[in-house]
Amino acid sequence: MSAGAAVSTGTGASPPRAAAKAPGRLRVEQSGPVATLVMDNPGMRNAITQDMWQQFAELLAGLDADDSVKVVVVRGAGRHFSAGADIASLESILHDPATGQHDGGDITVAEEALAGVRKPTIAAIDGYCVGGGWQIAGACDIRLASENAIFGITPAKIGIVYPLSGIRRLVELVGPATAKYLLFGGDFVNALEAVRLGLAARVMGVDAFWEDVHAYALHLAGRSQFSIQSQKDLVNAISGGVGESELAERNGFWQREMAASADPRIGIAAFLAKGTPQFTWLRPSR
């Protein structure tokens, strides 16, 4: 019997009804040092259900703790990044039971979990990247867009206040004037316009998009993870407006880590020998 063949019960009863379609989910794929977090709900253009929002924090914590993972890529299954939060469940998704308010809820928890990953994160954006999908993309360190990417930040289309976490990050990325332009109109912009506005770092061709994204992720994985993670922490501190004393404390920590790390010696020796450095640092001492 073939693996896909039906099994007869011999009772003459009607065949069992097909199981209901599984709801959207998040799943992780790993190829070498690159882990890919996939938003998998293609029947709804990867709209993010409440269950999916609630899966982000735990999965991301696991990837951050796994020393075999050096870079995290976030993408949607199939042809789209994400059409945003599941509108039918939006009220419960946005509700914060701790405060009773509707300012972010599960969306903000997921977004902040992604922004808090110490490793470099890449949003690989093909097709629609809209609403809550943009919040996930915006929480990544780097956004790479295919020529087919379409961006939209759309609270004005449905009459809601965008979560404060998303507004803050949007302003940090594009500035207040452009943030107003995008939020007020809620209009879609194509990939080239997204790069011009600061929503994405680079546009890549459609035909080799996923191969090029993976190649770029491997490129980052080959760099010093000490340099990447320390500078990510310091850039985030600066853009987040931390006080000078806290910034000096963070910088002092990383300077001490550099003195104890083998990566500077490895990098300098490889440079002088015109070779490729094999960096060894994986995580901060604290």
Side-chain angles (χ1 to χ4, degrees):
M1 180 182 296
S2 66
V7 178
S8 172
T9 63
T11 64
S14 299
R17 297 171 64 184
K21 185 180 182 297
R25 65 188 179 116
L26 300 185
R27 56 184 170 83
V28 174
E29 302 171 350
Q30 186 168 351
S31 177
V34 179
T36 302
L37 180 62
V38 182
M39 297 175 286
D40 191 348
N41 192 11
M44 297 176 63
R45 292 177 176 171
N46 297 319
I48 308 171
T49 65
Q50 186 164 26
D51 285 346
M52 291 169 70
W53 285 113
Q54 293 174 349
Q55 292 169 35
F56 274 96
E58 182 177 357
L59 287 175
L60 289 165
L63 294 176
D64 217 15
D66 185 348
D67 285 338
S68 72
V69 174
K70 294 185 178 180
V71 180
V72 176
V73 175
V74 182
R75 62 164 289 181
R79 298 173 52 203
H80 298 284
F81 185 80
S82 172
D86 179 12
I87 297 298
S89 304
L90 189 60
E91 183 173 352
S92 59
I93 290 170
L94 290 173
H95 181 254
D96 184 346
T99 65
Q101 302 298 311
H102 286 71
D103 185 22
D106 293 325
I107 294 178
T108 294
V109 171
E111 180 188 359
E112 296 298 347
L114 182 52
V117 172
R118 61 187 171 86
K119 300 171 182 180
T121 56
I122 301 169
I125 303 164
D126 191 29
Y128 284 112
C129 176
V130 179
W134 158 254
Q135 284 190 250
I136 291 300
C140 291
D141 298 315
I142 296 167
R143 283 153 294 283
L144 303 177
S146 84
E147 292 170 330
N148 285 341
I150 299 172
F151 295 75
I153 303 173
T154 54
K157 287 187 174 181
I158 55 175
I160 65 169
V161 178
Y162 213 51
L164 184 60
S165 56
I167 296 175
R168 179 181 293 114
R169 190 159 284 113
L170 180 64
V171 172
E172 290 174 358
L173 289 171
V174 305
T178 299
K180 291 174 186 176
Y181 170 75
L182 293 164
L183 287 164
F184 292 2
D187 299 314
F188 290 161
V189 298
N190 63 28
L192 291 175
E193 182 74 352
V195 170
R196 187 184 72 80
L197 294 173
L199 296 175
R202 182 177 168 190
V203 178
M204 295 175 163
V206 174
D207 292 343
F209 179 62
W210 300 113
E211 293 84 354
D212 289 345
V213 168
H214 187 66
Y216 181 72
L218 288 175
H219 174 65
L220 294 190
R223 298 302 196 192
S224 166
Q225 298 309 297
F226 168 75
S227 292
I228 289 175
Q229 292 186 31
S230 61
Q231 289 161 161
K232 175 174 178 172
D233 182 60
L234 293 171
V235 169
N236 288 346
I238 292 167
S239 65
V242 305
E244 287 299 318
S245 60
E246 181 180 344
L247 185 59
E249 182 179 344
R250 289 195 191 193
N251 183 55
F253 169 81
W254 288 116
Q255 294 295 332
R256 293 189 295 274
E257 285 281 300
M258 184 170 66
S261 169
D263 273 19
R265 295 186 293 277
I266 293 169
I268 291 169
F271 178 82
L272 294 174
K274 296 182 171 56
T276 301
Q278 301 297 319
F279 295 110
T280 60
W281 188 93
L282 293 174
R283 58 173 53 245
S285 59
R286 64 186 177 192

